[in-house]
Amino acid sequence: QVQLVESGGGLVQAGDSLRLSCAASGRAFNSYGMGWFRQAPGKEREFVATMNWIGSSTYYADSVKGRFTISRDNARKTVYLQMNNLKPEDTAVYYCAATMNWRLTRSRDSDEYDYWGQGTQVTVSS
C-alpha cells in the first residue's frame, strides 16, 4: 500500500513556473510507475505525465509537452512535476497516482492507477 501527498501548488501568473511534489509513504515505492493527472472545474480528469518505476520511460500529454517534466527520486520516495511557462488553461487540481502495473500503452488511463493523492490546486492567472 502507498499513501501519496501532493504539495507545491499555488497561484501564479502566466509564464511562471511551479514544481509539484508527491511524497509517498509505504513500501516498495521504487516498484511503482507514477503519473500526474489534473482536473479543471467542470471537466473530466485528464492525463498530464507518467514515468515508469526506474525513470527510464516517460510520456506526456501533448498540451504540456516541452513545458512540463516529470521526475522521481526513489531514495526520497518522491515524484516531481516541474511546470514551466504556465498558461491559464493549466489551472486545475493536480493529482499524483501510483500503479504497480505500469505499461506505457496504458499509462495515460487513470483506471490503471491504484493509489491517488488528495490533489493540489494550481491556479494560473492571465
Side-chain angles (χ1 to χ4, degrees):
Q1 187 117 8
V2 174
Q3 292 80 43
L4 304 172
V5 178
E6 302 96 334
S7 61
L11 172 63
V12 296
Q13 294 186 333
D16 286 350
S17 298
L18 276 177
R19 188 176 79 159
L20 305 183
S21 299
C22 174
S25 61
R27 296 182 177 181
F29 171 75
N30 59 2
S31 298
Y32 288 86
M34 300 297 296
W36 285 97
F37 292 77
R38 66 187 182 186
Q39 188 166 19
K43 295 187 177 182
E44 293 186 352
R45 187 174 297 184
E46 66 173 0
F47 165 77
V48 175
T50 187
M51 172 177 278
N52 67 349
W53 66 277
I54 199 173
S56 60
S57 182
T58 59
Y59 190 78
Y60 297 91
D62 288 343
S63 59
V64 306
K65 200 173 295 182
R67 299 189 297 122
F68 290 12
T69 302
I70 187 172
S71 62
R72 67 190 296 162
D73 184 337
N74 284 344
R76 296 179 183 272
K77 295 186 178 180
T78 302
V79 63
Y80 304 97
L81 185 68
Q82 177 67 43
M83 305 186 296
N84 298 328
N85 190 22
L86 283 160
K87 304 176 180 181
E89 51 264 42
D90 295 319
T91 294
V93 177
Y94 283 71
Y95 300 90
C96 70
T99 175
M100 278 290 286
N101 299 301
W102 192 91
R103 295 169 289 175
L104 181 61
T105 56
R106 298 288 296 169
S107 60
R108 293 168 290 175
D109 187 347
S110 60
D111 289 341
E112 291 293 295
Y113 292 82
D114 306 301
Y115 304 103
W116 292 82
Q118 83 290 347
T120 185
Q121 176 71 46
V122 172
T123 303
V124 184
S125 63
S126 58

